[in-house]
Amino acid sequence: MPDTILVVVEQREGKLNRVSWETLTAGQAIAAETGWTLEAAVVGGSVATLASEVATKKVAKVHAVESPRLEPYTPDAFVAALKQFLSSKKAKLVLMPHTYQVRDFVPKLATAMDRTVISDCIGYKKEGDKLVFTRQMFQGKLAADVSFACDVPWFVTFQSGAFRGDKVEAAAAVAPVETVKVEIAENVVRNKPHEVFKEAKQAVDLTQAEIIVSVGRGIKEQKNIELAKQLAEALGGELAASRPICDSGWLPMDRQIGSSGQTVAPKLYLALGISGAIQHIVGMKGARTIIAINKDAEAPIFEIADYAVVGNLFDIVPPLIEEVKKAKVGS
Amino acid sequence: MKILVCMKQVPQKDAPLKLNESSAWIREDVSYEVNEPDAYALEEALRQKEKHSGEVVVITAGPARSRQVLREALAKGADRAIHLEDPGFVGLDAVNTARAFAAAIKDEKFDLIFTGLQSDDYGYAQTGVILAELLGWPHATIIMQIEKSDSGIRVKRELEAGYFQFVDMPLPAVLTIQSGINKLRYATLIGIKQAKNKPQRKVPLAEVQPALGSNMQKIERLYIPQKTKNTEFLEGSPGEVAKKLAEKLRNEVRVL
Ligand SMILES: Cc1cc2nc3c(=O)[nH]c(=O)nc-3n(C[C@@H](O)[C@H](O)[C@H](O)COP(=O)(O)OP(=O)(O)OC[C@H]3O[C@@H](n4cnc5c(N)ncnc54)[C@H](O)[C@@H]3O)c2cc1C
Ligand SMILES: Cc1cc2nc3c(=O)[nH]c(=O)nc-3n(C[C@H](O)[C@H](O)[C@H](O)COP(=O)(O)OP(=O)(O)OC[C@H]3O[C@@H](n4cnc5c(N)ncnc54)[C@H](O)[C@@H]3O)c2cc1C
């Protein structure tokens, strides 16, 4: 019997998280290369509908792992459910998206099974019989290929954006869905979660902005934000920032771009003194043109920039404001 | 409340990194600093102690250089420090790192353990959650607020895209702390002086070795990532670069 790859998709309140498709694409690619069988699992209170949605993709089987205690999400219940399920479903490789929810429970699951997780991977390579997983290190400055040195199941999580969700292959025939009822005793679940909520309504909607000038910690001091503001005004754009700038209160939270802020896709994203950590990049990589000014030639932001300037932003931005103003007058 | 804070020493953010001989890690001759979220974790522990009294203990695993992290924490107000001191500690994977911590604190009774939500170097985002499982404690991750309640604590978890969630949980518990949960304090001169007399316990590798297993994963190689995008680097004096940028903005990006 061939080995099994199991993709655990993510659902929240009855909706599939879109990154689930990316992880399925990864699973399909690894299955094609290894000849292993690909199956999927949906975990929750009542997930039959979601399971049949997943079953329209190219997978051999979909498991609907259910218990009323899985709603709302808690790490205790998810670990109990998946540990039970994985004791009967022998998988070689278990893949999940590296979401906030997965990073909340998967290290616990692996530890409870005396296994390990290679987390936040951006790809994989098959080298002979060996599978290695690529992950970013040092905030994206270096990459590492990591392999397992333990028994299966091997747990791997993939970073959001690592695979193309829209490339997930559809099934020739809908895959069978199997319901798995798991038993979770009442006292297993220790945390009591409340409703999910959004902080005060956002005053600015950056998703509609055509031009965004974004500042990072390279701006050094709060008073220097003014410089970026002048550039934004000259360009007729909006001001945005990386997380540390908002954490320090230099700009309000609703101007934060990234995984815990807004996701934008402007015509132009001009990054001033931003290093380009993945949590920032996921929020702006959809920009049509990215210009980055950074004094460190090795800053990861340059990996995704269309135009790059290695230099001190305090030297470059003032003449740039003048040039922009001149061009505006001229046009 | 008695709180343990795990604080890791990591290469400074803008330190130039060079691969070591085996290409499995970087060369050690860089400057180091405290892992950013760990500094917030310490600050939060100090604030909880100021509110509810108790004790703040800091722990790190790493070679002699990492003592600096403990020194700074003691100067900011931590009461004592535990140093798992050996160059070997950094070669442990997250599971073994957590096992080492669990072994080193087996005779202590903490109400809370704080870790950062992830390290700035290896970035596994796992050590705190693993430690909770080893201890049999509940945990919550990416925490932005902590309040004491009648039955334990109420924490605010950060979720994706600006969403949050409150969670009630019993003590003892492990929390992984997100940067920005509070405003950091600076060490005072008096603090720095007092730090010298605060208790520091050294734990050699041999003391926790029986609790460790072999690493379950292996770093095959480290390398500089391949660029996938065609980036055009604009060069020249600031004035020239500004002109070139404006030209791109007009003719290529078409926003002027
Ligand atoms: C096979 C392998 C080889 C490695 N070799 C090296 C090496 O040669 N040199 C090297 O420097 N690293 C090496 N590492 C990295 C290793 O030491 C990791 O740091 C460790 O596995 C913890 O994972 P992390 O840093 O990703 O922690 P995360 O899980 O991201 O950290 C979360 C939090 O846990 C706490 N924490 C984690 N580690 C420590 C610590 N040591 N002290 C105090 N608090 C801590 C902090 O609060 C931190 O914010 C290696 C890792 C592996 C898997
Ligand atoms: C769960 C989680 C969620 C997160 N969510 C987000 C998020 O939504 N958004 C976000 O942005 N981050 C987020 N982060 C934080 C992220 O990991 C980075 O820490 C952050 O993006 C770094 O911000 P930065 O680039 O401004 O700062 P740094 O990484 O410190 O970079 C500053 C840059 O400025 C450059 N610089 C310094 N001086 C100058 C100068 N004079 N001229 C030009 N360049 C200069 C430096 O070379 C450096 O590259 C999150 C992290 C986690 C773990």
Side-chain angles (χ1 to χ4, degrees), chain A residues 286-302:
Chain A
R288 182 121 64 85
T289 303
I290 296 167
I291 300 181
I293 303 178
N294 194 303
K295 66 167 192 196
D296 175 9
E298 274 156 29
I301 189 83
F302 290 140

Side-chain angles (χ1 to χ4, degrees), chain B residues 13-231:
Chain B
K13 280 221 178 60
D14 42 13
L17 307 175
K18 294 194 202 76
L19 299 184
N20 68 9
E21 297 70 44
S22 64
S23 280
W25 200 258
I26 54 158
R27 282 176 46 175
E28 284 264 325
D29 53 349
V30 295
S31 349
Y32 287 87
E33 63 186 2
V34 177
N35 187 45
E36 186 171 7
D38 303 2
Y40 287 94
L42 170 68
E43 177 65 41
E44 194 54 33
L46 295 173
R47 287 176 186 223
Q48 294 294 334
K49 182 194 153 182
E50 282 154 12
K51 254 193 249 170
H52 307 294
S53 81
E55 191 186 14
V56 174
V57 183
V58 286
I59 190 168
T60 197
R65 60 167 162 80
S66 55
R67 192 175 316 132
Q68 180 58 25
V69 166
L70 301 178
R71 236 181 257 137
E72 284 170 29
L74 292 172
K76 284 184 170 186
D79 299 296
R80 60 187 166 91
I82 305 171
H83 191 181
L84 279 65
E85 187 184 328
D86 193 289
F89 279 114
V90 292
L92 301 179
D93 61 16
V95 176
N96 275 320
T97 304
R99 283 177 181 148
F101 288 157
I105 60 162
K106 66 178 189 319
D107 297 327
E108 306 241 20
K109 273 207 162 27
F110 291 103
D111 300 298
L112 280 168
I113 298 179
F114 292 172
T115 71
L117 82 167
Q118 69 188 58
S119 68
D120 284 342
D121 56 355
Y122 204 58
Y124 246 70
Q126 297 190 27
T127 308
V129 178
I130 294 170
L131 182 57
E133 176 63 18
L134 293 176
L135 296 170
W137 295 6
H139 75 266
T141 52
I142 320 196
I143 297 306
M144 286 297 280
Q145 190 181 310
I146 302 160
E147 300 291 340
K148 213 164 175 285
S149 67
D150 295 339
S151 56
I153 47 172
R154 172 170 292 188
V155 299
K156 184 177 167 191
R157 283 185 69 206
E158 176 182 304
L159 305 176
E160 277 118 340
Y163 285 90
F164 296 92
Q165 178 180 44
F166 284 101
V167 177
D168 290 320
M169 55 198 298
L171 295 176
V174 178
L175 303 176
T176 81
I177 306 294
Q178 168 68 300
S179 295
I181 180 175
N182 48 40
K183 296 274 173 284
L184 301 179
R185 73 188 64 191
Y186 294 99
T188 59
L189 271 177
I190 300 177
I192 294 167
K193 260 197 200 140
Q194 285 172 341
K196 298 202 176 80
N197 301 320
K198 289 181 175 173
Q200 296 195 41
R201 177 159 71 93
K202 258 193 215 171
V203 178
L205 188 52
E207 187 182 320
V208 296
Q209 191 85 57
L212 307 182
S214 49
N215 278 346
M216 287 192 274
Q217 35 185 286
K218 179 166 179 256
I219 300 179
E220 299 280 342
R221 63 190 84 85
L222 218 66
Y223 50 93
I224 296 167
Q226 269 175 349
K227 275 182 75 73
T228 46
K229 200 158 177 175
N230 251 332
T231 305

Side-chain angles (χ1 to χ4, degrees), chain A residues 278-294:
Chain A
I278 182 63
Q279 296 86 1
H280 187 80
I281 289 183
V282 294
M284 45 66 80
K285 63 170 189 239
R288 182 121 64 85
T289 303
I290 296 167
I291 300 181
I293 303 178
N294 194 303

